[in-house]
Amino acid sequence: MTLFHFFNCAILTFGPHAVYYSATPLSEYDTLGTSVKAALVYLGTALVKLVCLATFLKVSENDSFDPYQELLHAVIGFIDVAGLYFALTQLTHRNISQNHKFQAVGLGWAFADSVLHRLAPLWVGSRGLEFTWDYILQGLEANANLVLSISLAALGSLMWLRKNKPKTLIPIIYACAGIVATMPSITRFEYSFFISCVMPKGHLQPLPYVGGYQKSERLDTSYLGRGLGWHFPKVVGFELFTSLMMAFISWQLFSACQRSSS
Amino acid sequence: MSSGKQRERQMLESFYSMIALVFILVTCIELCDAATVVDVYRLIQYDISGAPLGSRFATLNHHAGSLHLPPGVDLSRTVVIIPIHELNITLVKEFIAQRKPLGGLLFLLPQMLNFENRDPTSESKYQIHEKKLIKNVLVELERLLIHANIPYPVYFAFEDDDIDAVLADVKRNDASGQPATATTGSYKLVVSGPEPKRIASPTITNIQGWLPGLKADGDQNQLPTIAIVASYDTFGTAPALSVGSDSNGSGIVALLEIARLFSLLYSNPKTRGRYNLLFGLTSGGPYNYNGTHKWLRSFDQRLRESIDYAICLNSIGSWDNKLWIHVSKPPENAFIKQIFEGFSTVAEELGIEVGLKHKKINISNPRVAWEHEQFSRLRVTAATLTELSAPPELLERTGGLSDSRHFVNEDAIVRSIKLVAESIARHVYGYQGKNIQIFADDTSLAVNAPYIRSWLDILSQTPRVAPFLSKNDPFVMALKKELQAHTHEVIVQHEVLDEMFTIYDLTKAKLNIYQVASVTFDLLLLLVLGSYLIILFTFLVITTRGLDDLISLFRRPPSRKVKAV
């Protein structure tokens, strides 16, 4: 039964990527190479970010909220954007239209992110006998991440690949790109804010539905894996909501630019 | 050509080693993240002359259930959790007598009995009559479990918040009769580990201390000897919890204190008596005093004949005002009369009542109910001083679960020590009938209550089932050292326990409690996810390629057939 659970969570986490690839015209134009290249660029970016975090960030002893550290996290988050720029502009792609290029890059980016951050905890954790809601929430988070990545790639392609943009829309585009880029930091900020202000120092509350969750150990490489499941569903809900919003906004911007150019 | 093949082979080899590594990784990463991990103590598993008794299994992997399950439900894959304060002994008797197939039993003991618990408030939660009730329930339960052959694992655990929460959940589920869902918890109890094995050649260790008396110059005869003996090992339903504070922790403490007092007297030649004193801490008590038997057999003939009498101490820690002296020689015997009179006189002065009980020994019967019977079988005069009025059955009153520190009264031990020490001292120094108090309070020879208390506390935290005490067990060494401090010659004798008793290992384990989701939940989740992915697929096809494409995906096969025609 436990492998069954692992299978369920795996298709929740990685299924949408495969579905996206096969459902949209991406599969017809065989853009797999682009996605793979984008995934490799993501790996490189993740490595660079890790090195920067290790060099510049101090490990705090207590769970207090340090604005300087959060700012540093946000700045390092922009390395993501730089990586995406590299993937969109510098790599040589086969002759594919703008439309499909950003989708392929976003897809590859999101897939690499899911694999890197969620595969290991899923494999190690969800095969155990103990049932927790963690991995389902993590899968939902992966979905939100997919939407966010594609919208960021869309905005990126608008910013760097499209030469003639209507003047009025440019600041909005940059603003949205900024918001989407700092989304990870915002989620982290919300998380640590909850930790420091809502919860008393050093006190883990018993959890209503996840029996004894605080006792279980999770191998989690992402910053969201702090073992405090009480706020995890809230954060995931917030992520899903904002990702859909940003996707809608960027779709509107994209179609607006499309209209103006044609 | 060959280099290409070589390269291919190398690639294959590295590929195979990669696969092997992945397999090893897969099997190693079996993280056991249970909701709760609890220390549990297993019921004893032993054979008497080949007849199997106790719980015969150790590993457990079943769902948890409580007594609130509807009757008639199949329990062969359920572990029933029963807290002691809700124990219905007739129900357990039914389970065992009718040999109902159960997955396992888990008894929850009150935290008060946990000798590793440092919390002093746990005892005060119970009134005195509640404590007595718990004690009686435990005695009955122990008697039931020890003499039964149980074909499934039985464990004991202490109540704490985690396990109470689990039990409350389980009860709620059972009472409502609903199948457990993912969130309302169906719990799985897992104890993993090897199968229990026999303990081969269990050692029993006897420790003896010798205080030589004052030999007058030119006196060639052997001085007479008085022996004081107590058995120090225990036997109980849960060997890891058998601390036996009264049976026979009280006896050990009394022996050590008497040794200390007499060593003070004998240290000065002016006050050394004309009797040798032999102190014996024997093992193998619950097993028909096997250790005492072997110890006596190892004696020199002369030594055995020089023993005037032996006093065996057994359970002197929880009496109010009456003690018993049990003998096997008839009460009309001159020696017995002398001993009993000596004890009675001192007892009167101390305000204690002492009764005499006679039980004939039957040499053909292997059952030895009192330690003095082993002496009597070798024609040495001996008596047992105890608070029990009747001889205990085999493996009863041997320091089980109910024998905890809370039920022992230090004051009773102090009075017993005074009784024994004074009686022996008057015999040694020839003061029978004279009103002289040798070990009076507030003198340098007073009975040391803090010493008694500290030793009693140590004993109440040390489980002492003999087959689990190795030859160099720290506790046995500690007893030896203590006796060495008070006596001159200490001899440690290692023997092998009688083959009639076979004991199996594995007394402690860790119980993992997992909260598992039912199969229906997994299937439901699969259904939901499947439909989500299908909806996502159709949505994406419609928005990016258009509705016609979606329809064409389903219409392709029929259109081909039409074309062929």
Side-chain angles (χ1 to χ4, degrees):
Chain A
M1 292 313 118
T2 55
L3 270 175
F4 199 167
H5 188 64
F6 166 74
F7 175 72
N8 280 343
C9 296
I11 61 174
L12 178 59
T13 315
F14 303 112
H17 302 87
V19 162
Y20 192 90
Y21 186 80
S22 56
T24 57
L26 288 180
S27 54
E28 287 176 19
Y29 291 101
D30 195 17
T31 52
L32 196 62
T34 316
S35 299
V36 168
K37 283 185 204 157
L40 291 173
V41 172
Y42 179 83
L43 281 174
T45 317
L47 214 66
V48 170
K49 264 174 61 179
L50 205 68
V51 168
C52 287
L53 280 174
T55 320
F56 295 116
L57 238 52
K58 297 182 284 256
V59 177
S60 64
E61 266 120 31
N62 47 356
D63 279 332
S64 63
F65 171 67
D66 190 355
Y68 180 63
Q69 300 288 319
E70 302 303 320
L71 203 64
L72 219 56
H73 261 285
V75 167
I76 291 179
F78 274 100
I79 297 179
D80 258 337
V81 180
L84 208 57
Y85 170 78
F86 181 79
L88 277 171
T89 55
Q90 303 298 347
L91 293 178
T92 53
H93 302 291
R94 290 193 357 236
N95 229 350
I96 6 177
S97 73
Q98 293 287 7
N99 211 350
H100 298 143
K101 190 194 280 189
F102 81 82
Q103 284 184 44
V105 167
L107 188 67
W109 194 263
F111 187 71
D113 179 82
S114 285
V115 166
L116 203 63
H117 288 269
R118 291 175 195 100
L119 183 62
L122 200 63
W123 176 248
V124 166
S126 68
R127 281 183 314 132
L129 275 175
E130 178 77 15
F131 174 78
T132 52
W133 288 102
D134 281 356
Y135 302 104
I136 298 176
L137 292 173
Q138 210 181 41
L140 291 174
E141 202 194 323
N143 279 297
N145 201 351
L146 173 63
V147 177
L148 268 177
S149 298
I150 292 185
S151 35
L152 185 61
L155 292 170
S157 84
L158 277 183
M159 288 194 296
W160 304 309
L161 297 177
R162 197 170 279 269
K163 300 308 171 193
N164 44 345
K165 298 186 277 270
K167 287 283 183 270
T168 48
L169 290 179
I170 291 181
I172 306 179
I173 293 174
Y174 278 99
C176 289
I179 294 174
V180 176
T182 52
M183 269 307 295
S185 306
I186 292 177
T187 354
R188 190 177 182 282
F189 158 81
E190 191 179 289
Y191 214 68
S192 56
F193 188 70
F194 272 130
I195 295 165
S196 63
C197 299
V198 172
M199 297 204 161
K201 296 271 184 298
H203 173 65
L204 284 175
Q205 290 175 357
L207 304 162
Y209 53 83
V210 187
Y213 173 79
Q214 67 206 53
K215 291 209 176 93
S216 69
E217 288 159 6
R218 279 178 60 199
L219 245 182
D220 210 315
T221 51
S222 85
Y223 48 76
L224 276 180
R226 292 284 285 270
L228 295 173
W230 170 236
H231 292 290
F232 198 23
K234 278 196 177 167
V235 170
V236 170
F238 172 73
E239 274 188 353
L240 279 169
F241 174 68
T242 47
S243 66
L244 288 171
M245 279 250 308
M246 296 313 298
F248 180 72
I249 293 175
S250 44
W251 177 42
Q252 291 299 319
L253 285 171
F254 202 84
S255 47
C257 289
Q258 196 98 327
R259 249 181 289 125
S260 67
S261 66
S262 58
Chain B
M1 209 36 135
S2 59
S3 66
K5 273 208 173 141
Q6 256 186 1
R7 234 181 296 131
E8 236 185 70
R9 217 179 305 129
Q10 272 176 5
M11 265 188 63
L12 269 177
E13 272 174 21
S14 54
F15 185 63
Y16 283 143
S17 53
M18 269 283 291
I19 299 257
L21 192 67
V22 169
F23 267 123
I24 291 172
L25 208 66
V26 162
T27 50
C28 281
I29 302 180
E30 190 65 66
L31 274 190
C32 223
D33 53 342
T36 321
V37 179
V38 182
D39 280 326
V40 290
Y41 309 94
R42 195 168 81 98
L43 181 66
I44 185 128
Q45 180 182 355
Y46 68 112
D47 301 339
I48 295 185
S49 309
L53 290 166
S55 154
R56 310 305 296 178
F57 289 95
T59 50
L60 197 63
N61 190 346
H62 292 305
H63 285 271
S66 71
L67 289 172
H68 292 242
L69 280 169
V73 163
D74 177 28
L75 293 171
S76 60
R77 296 192 61 80
T78 314
V79 177
V80 183
I81 305 180
I82 307 180
I84 291 286
H85 59 258
E86 286 172 21
L87 180 65
N88 180 354
I89 196 84
T90 41
L91 196 67
V92 181
K93 272 192 193 156
E94 256 183 59
F95 278 154
I96 293 177
Q98 293 172 7
R99 303 190 74 82
K100 273 196 189 166
L102 270 184
L105 270 177
L106 178 65
F107 290 103
L108 296 182
L109 304 167
Q111 195 57 241
M112 162 179 100
L113 295 175
N114 189 0
F115 52 84
E116 285 169 24
N117 181 18
R118 302 265 174 257
D119 181 17
T121 62
S122 58
E123 187 195 342
S124 50
K125 274 193 266 184
Y126 295 93
Q127 306 291 331
I128 296 198
H129 70 270
E130 275 179 343
K131 284 192 209 173
K132 274 210 159 51
L133 220 71
I134 291 175
K135 186 168 188 204
N136 291 340
V137 164
L138 281 173
V139 167
E140 260 204 80
L141 184 66
E142 280 190 282
R143 198 178 301 148
L144 178 64
L145 291 175
I146 280 189
H147 297 296
N149 178 7
I150 303 176
Y152 42 82
V154 178
Y155 282 98
F156 294 90
F158 289 107
E159 286 176 350
D160 68 358
D161 296 327
D162 299 325
I163 216 171
D164 280 341
V166 167
L167 184 60
D169 248 345
V170 171
K171 277 187 192 169
R172 218 177 324 136
N173 278 345
D174 289 343
S176 61
Q178 280 171 356
T181 66
T183 51
T184 60
S186 146
Y187 289 91
K188 206 158 200 210
L189 304 181
V190 177
V191 172
S192 52
E195 279 304 309
K197 287 190 299 288
R198 263 173 33 116
I199 296 180
S201 314
T203 38
I204 47 178
T205 309
N206 298 319
I207 310 170
Q208 76 180 50
W210 181 256
L211 263 184
L214 187 67
K215 251 194 176 155
D217 292 333
D219 189 358
Q220 292 304 318
N221 300 332
Q222 173 88 327
L223 281 176
T225 309
I226 296 180
I228 302 161
V229 193
S231 80
Y232 68 84
D233 68 328
T234 58
F235 184 89
T237 17
L241 297 174
S242 295
V243 292
S245 303
D246 196 14
S247 312
N248 192 11
S250 51
I252 304 171
V253 162
L255 188 145
L256 290 175
E257 177 64 5
I258 295 171
R260 187 188 73 86
L261 291 171
F262 275 100
S263 79
L264 284 175
L265 276 174
Y266 274 47
S267 55
N268 187 348
K270 290 205 193 119
T271 50
R272 201 174 296 163
R274 295 273 168 91
Y275 279 79
N276 297 323
L277 290 175
L278 176 63
F279 296 95
L281 282 167
T282 59
S283 179
Y287 320 106
N288 293 327
Y289 294 101
N290 197 239
T292 318
H293 170 85
K294 298 200 154 107
W295 183 50
L296 290 174
R297 290 276 182 289
S298 74
F299 276 4
D300 197 13
Q301 172 92 355
R302 275 199 316 161
L303 172 58
R304 210 184 305 154
E305 283 172 3
S306 76
I307 297 182
D308 242 15
Y309 66 91
I311 297 281
C312 307
L313 302 170
N314 183 357
S315 309
I316 45 177
S318 52
W319 53 275
D320 280 326
N321 46 18
K322 181 136 195 186
L323 278 177
W324 296 95
I325 296 183
H326 294 258
V327 291
S328 33
K329 288 194 176 169
E332 301 82 38
N333 184 297
F335 296 118
I336 301 287
K337 261 193 179 162
Q338 195 186 31
I339 298 170
F340 185 63
E341 266 169 31
F343 270 86
S344 304
T345 339
V346 178
E348 247 186 78
E349 288 168 26
L350 290 171
I352 307 171
E353 217 188 303
V354 177
L356 185 65
K357 281 231 158 157
H358 171 233
K359 176 178 175 283
K360 279 201 198 148
I361 53 172
N362 184 355
I363 299 201
S364 53
N365 186 357
R367 170 78 188 124
V368 176
W370 297 114
E371 196 161 11
H372 73 265
E373 293 184 13
Q374 293 286 13
F375 286 88
S376 302
R377 284 169 188 228
L378 295 173
R379 304 193 205 297
V380 177
T381 312
T384 302
L385 180 70
T386 174
E387 68 202 3
L388 302 168
S389 55
E393 299 295 324
L394 179 64
L395 300 175
E396 248 172 64
R397 294 239 36 159
T398 49
L401 280 176
S402 54
D403 202 341
S404 123
R405 175 78 178 84
H406 301 292
F407 302 119
V408 173
N409 184 1
E410 280 154 33
D411 195 48
I413 302 181
V414 169
R415 288 157 81 199
S416 321
I417 292 173
K418 278 191 187 160
L419 174 64
V420 178
E422 283 286 349
S423 314
I424 294 180
R426 285 189 195 184
H427 185 96
V428 165
Y429 297 108
Y431 290 146
Q432 282 98 320
K434 296 195 189 148
N435 192 358
I436 294 183
Q437 255 200 334
I438 301 176
F439 303 102
D441 293 332
D442 301 327
T443 64
S444 61
L445 288 174
V447 175
N448 190 350
Y451 179 79
I452 293 171
R453 196 174 312 133
S454 64
W455 265 99
L456 203 58
D457 286 340
I458 293 173
L459 286 168
S460 304
Q461 291 170 6
T462 318
R464 308 186 293 280
V465 179
F468 299 109
L469 294 175
S470 62
K471 271 192 189 163
N472 298 320
D473 189 82
F475 176 71
V476 175
M477 293 296 115
L479 279 182
K480 175 185 166 199
K481 260 184 97 172
E482 192 63 19
L483 215 53
Q484 265 172 342
H486 303 315
T487 57
H488 276 215
E489 253 180 75
V490 170
I491 300 176
V492 174
Q493 179 199 24
H494 297 292
E495 296 282 346
V496 176
L497 184 62
D498 188 19
E499 275 144 24
M500 187 165 116
F501 295 91
T502 318
I503 307 225
Y504 292 73
D505 62 358
L506 287 186
T507 53
K508 267 181 93 154
K510 288 221 180 277
L511 175 74
N512 295 301
I513 305 182
Y514 298 105
Q515 188 171 18
V516 290
S518 56
V519 183
T520 43
F521 174 78
D522 278 329
L523 285 173
L524 209 69
L525 190 63
L526 184 64
L527 209 67
V528 167
L529 288 178
S531 45
Y532 164 68
L533 285 178
I534 289 173
I535 292 174
L536 187 68
F537 184 81
T538 47
F539 172 73
L540 287 173
V541 166
I542 289 176
T543 49
T544 52
R545 290 195 251 183
L547 193 58
D548 301 329
D549 255 341
L550 179 67
I551 298 174
S552 71
L553 273 175
F554 294 112
R555 282 264 177 94
R556 223 179 289 137
S559 59
R560 279 226 184 111
K561 276 190 189 164
V562 168
K563 270 201 174 165
V565 168

